[in-house]
Amino acid sequence: MKLTNMVYQGANGRNSQIDFEAPDSFEYTDIVVFIHGYKGYKDWGAWNLVQQYFVSNGMGFCKFNMSHNGGTVDEGIDFPDLEAFSLNRYTYEVEDLKHALDWLEQKVDLKNKRIHLIGHSRGGGIAILSAKDPRVSSVTTWASISDIGTRFPKGETLDNWREKGFYTVRNSRTEQDMPHQFVLYEDWLENKDELDIEKCARNIKVPTFHIHGDADDSVSITESEALGLWTEGKLIIINKANHTFNTYQPYTEEEMPNKLHEACVLTFQFIENQEKGE
């Protein structure tokens, strides 16, 4: 079974793209659900090769676009809908993952399946926040954030954001000024408890695994170190791996970068060990 660019209904009723692929040749019990990060999407870089890796190794694989990531159901690459992007908020992304799992449940009988979340960067934080979902069997974070509040502007910049109602972040690759409405910050203020990654990590009930590159210049290794401490999950640092494990957009190579392959192998081994109760 291979479903590509299907549609699920995410947060606030907004539709977005979703993929699912299962190995055809044999029965499988494990499904990976991949969660992209900030300014990301399901087809960014070598994420499709990540899908191929897990499926070829006998696991189902689901990846999806956050409903307000700037993509549309017709164009999931880059950011044709900056208005939707501007309205995004962290609670929307937690809700999106729930709706993606609901969609998956409609396509696959999950009764004898195990769901394993892999979250990259901001997606790692969303995975931790969502680990209490009874359908989730494990969480792996790749170069994950460990806190939301510290990512907001401070002082005068915050005051200007409040006054103007929005601020923009430059995307150097697409040359877009990507706007954030102040509702992003208000949503965090209103839902601090629900969006407390540390609290969720300390109370997590499923096995966790954390991977980070030592050449990451976007998210500090100390964030994965904190997650490892809070969740009591293993942390592995990959030498000479950057924030995206050396993949980039557009990525046209037939093989994924070695550092990304290493992250896949380590994650696969972690998931396999869950079957053995290790």
Side-chain angles (χ1 to χ4, degrees):
M1 176 193 293
K2 185 172 184 178
L3 305 172
T4 303
N5 293 339
M6 305 296 285
V7 176
Y8 80 102
Q9 187 176 81
N12 202 34
R14 181 176 170 81
N15 291 337
S16 195
Q17 293 182 345
I18 189 167
D19 300 343
F20 176 70
E21 185 175 4
D24 292 325
S25 56
F26 45 82
E27 186 62 28
Y28 64 99
T29 56
D30 296 292
I31 298 174
V32 168
V33 176
F34 182 82
I35 310 161
H36 69 73
Y38 176 58
K39 292 190 289 187
Y41 42 88
K42 67 181 180 63
D43 298 315
W44 190 94
W47 298 154
N48 286 314
L49 296 178
V50 172
Q51 175 174 320
Q52 288 180 25
Y53 171 85
F54 282 96
V55 174
S56 67
N57 282 282
M59 295 182 181
F61 195 95
C62 176
K63 55 183 171 60
F64 63 99
N65 285 348
M66 293 293 184
S67 62
H68 291 69
N69 76 324
T72 68
V73 293
D74 297 316
E75 182 51 74
I77 304 297
D78 291 335
F79 313 101
D81 192 342
L82 289 180
E83 181 179 358
F85 180 89
S86 76
L87 293 169
N88 196 21
R89 54 207 81 174
Y90 286 91
T91 54
Y92 276 6
E93 297 196 354
V94 173
E95 190 178 341
D96 284 340
L97 176 55
K98 177 187 178 300
H99 289 311
L101 292 175
D102 292 343
W103 178 90
L104 184 60
E105 201 165 18
Q106 293 173 359
K107 303 298 179 184
V108 181
D109 182 3
L110 297 182
K111 184 170 59 177
N112 297 311
K113 300 287 191 288
R114 290 184 290 269
I115 302 293
H116 307 277
L117 303 182
I118 299 177
H120 174 250
S121 192
R122 180 153 136 178
I126 300 302
I128 295 290
L129 294 173
S130 304
K132 60 182 177 291
D133 189 306
R135 294 169 291 192
V136 174
S137 294
S138 77
V139 170
T140 299
T141 66
W142 288 1
S144 180
I145 67 170
S146 64
D147 180 83
I148 293 173
T150 57
R151 306 196 125 69
F152 291 112
K154 304 290 190 296
E156 185 178 348
T157 306
L158 177 61
D159 292 338
N160 290 337
W161 185 18
R162 181 183 288 107
E163 182 180 345
K164 291 182 179 179
F166 73 96
Y167 81 96
T168 59
V169 175
R170 184 71 173 175
N171 187 321
S172 58
R173 181 178 60 82
T174 65
E175 298 185 344
Q176 291 170 293
D177 291 317
M178 306 185 71
H180 293 291
Q181 293 195 30
F182 194 64
V183 67
L184 175 66
Y185 185 71
E186 292 176 322
D187 177 71
W188 176 71
L189 289 176
E190 293 168 7
N191 297 280
K192 275 186 179 182
D193 190 58
E194 178 187 342
L195 297 174
D196 188 335
I197 295 174
E198 179 179 352
K199 187 188 76 170
C200 290
R202 289 187 182 277
N203 290 284
I204 205 162
K205 304 299 183 187
V206 298
T208 61
F209 180 44
H210 312 285
I211 303 175
H212 216 109
D214 71 356
D216 190 333
D217 58 2
S218 296
V219 176
S220 171
I221 289 177
T222 59
E223 302 216 38
S224 282
E225 289 172 342
L227 290 176
L229 177 66
W230 299 335
T231 63
E232 299 182 359
K234 186 174 183 179
L235 167 64
I236 290 185
I237 306 298
I238 296 182
N239 186 41
K240 296 182 180 178
N242 67 11
H243 184 58
T244 58
F245 301 93
N246 299 4
T247 185
Y248 46 85
Q249 175 66 22
Y251 189 82
T252 57
E253 304 297 323
E254 293 185 2
E255 301 291 333
M256 71 175 79
N258 289 337
K259 301 304 178 181
L260 181 59
H261 182 260
E262 187 175 345
C264 288
V265 171
L266 290 167
T267 304
F268 178 78
Q269 292 171 343
F270 164 72
I271 292 172
E272 269 206 318
N273 286 340
Q274 306 315 305
E275 293 184 31
K276 303 170 187 174
E278 296 179 8

